Amino acid sequence: MKRKRILQQRHHVYVFNYVRINRHHHSSLDISPTLSHSLQSHNQSPFFIDPSKTKSKELTYIMANGGDLRPTAAGASIERASPVVPPPPREIPTANIPPARFTAPNRVNLTEDNQSLLNSIRSSAALTPQERNTLFNLMTSSEENGAAQFREVVSRSDLRRMALFLTSDLDRFLEMARNKNGSNRIQELLGRTDDLDTYFFNAILSRFDHIMTDYEASRVAMQGMRVFSEEKKTEMCSYVRHHAIPLACDRSGYAVLKEIINVWSSLGHFFYRDQLLDIVARNALYLSYDAHGNYVVQHVLRLNDLRCTHNVAVSLRGCCFGLSFTKFGSFVVQKLLDTEEEAVMVVRELVRCDEERLVRLARSDYGNYVLVKALRVMQESNRIDLFWDLANKLRPYVHLLRGRNVGAFLYWLR
């Protein structure tokens, strides 16, 4: 009985919805007078229908087929004109999700000394000697959180006053720049604003020789050449040109000078680079005899810049024989033999020497390597004329060249 009541209620609802939508089109529906009378006899409303009290065949058919009331052809035209609009979907309640809470960035807890230093930097007061020591330690500290402390102070400081304090004592600034941590942290401050860069620019130029002959400190200057304004870059390039030869002959400075050439090439500063290459080329003979300068000349030749290579060769013309007797000079001559055009110049100079001088060169510790290189280069480049001119001057003395590379090379020509 309970199941039957539920089914009856479902049919009530279906007929109720159907007739409610189409009640003003009753005349077009194919409903018999019996069903029409049943719809009107219950409270004079089509919305209250008791299927158990309705005996019409139409309603019985509706109930047997799931309560499907379909309009006839007459009613179809009206339905097309006034389509049935389904009820809007029910809204699914959602949980009230609170908006994300704003979280402030994590701040590093400064040490007591660093907090005191920060307060002084942000005020107009001068630093006490103790605070100056704290600033030095902040820049050079290798402790685990040293970098974090530094960045926290920087993020909350008046950077112009901080730069002023860092560069006011040039000897202390140089000491910081020579420290690995100090060099890295100074570089982090470069390029932020032009006003800030001015303090560091002046400090670098004031201790230029000392900075450029130290690896860590030179990295500060190199970073400045990357991020400073064009006016400051030009001034620094002028200083580099002025100090190029002393730098090239310094045991640390020569590596810095090579790096400057590379940096200017990578940044596209070919005008500045070519000026520096011209200085090296003009002084190639002097640098080739130097224990450090020769590496700068070799580096310049490795660039395969035709103009610069030619200028170096011009500076060494007539001196290759003498350079070949020395350790560092022989390195430069062999590097010059690697270039196609200038190798011919070197071999012709050797061929012009008499046999006695050539044998003396072949028996020297470094000269024999130069002669072997000259013979192989001429052979590989198909300069057979120059190859045999040089080989024939040495072959009669091959017995004097035992134990030398050039002697072994000439022995297999017999």
Side-chain angles (χ1 to χ4, degrees), residues 11 14-15 18 29-39 49-51 54-70 72:
H11 287 300
Y14 190 95
V15 174
Y18 181 85
L29 296 179
D30 188 16
I31 302 177
S32 67
T34 306
L35 178 59
S36 178
H37 175 75
S38 299
L39 292 173
I49 302 173
D50 187 354
T54 304
K55 303 300 182 178
S56 68
K57 295 181 180 179
E58 289 88 343
L59 186 56
T60 304
Y61 177 81
I62 291 170
M63 295 175 62
N65 290 275
D68 188 13
L69 283 174
R70 297 180 181 273
T72 62

Side-chain angles (χ1 to χ4, degrees), residues 110-128:
L110 295 176
T111 64
E112 184 178 349
D113 289 342
N114 287 340
Q115 183 62 55
S116 174
L117 172 65
L118 175 62
N119 294 338
S120 296
I121 292 175
R122 296 171 67 175
S123 69
S124 58
L127 296 185
T128 65

Side-chain angles (χ1 to χ4, degrees), residues 301 304 309 313 334-344 377:
L301 292 174
N304 295 320
T309 300
Q334 290 183 65
K335 190 60 64 179
L336 204 57
L337 285 168
D338 288 331
T339 62
E340 184 176 354
E341 294 297 328
E342 312 313 330
V344 173
V377 168

Side-chain angles (χ1 to χ4, degrees), residues 131-147:
E131 288 172 337
R132 289 186 178 276
N133 290 333
T134 301
L135 179 60
F136 180 84
N137 293 333
L138 178 70
M139 297 297 293
T140 60
S141 173
S142 57
E143 295 179 1
E144 184 178 354
N145 67 336

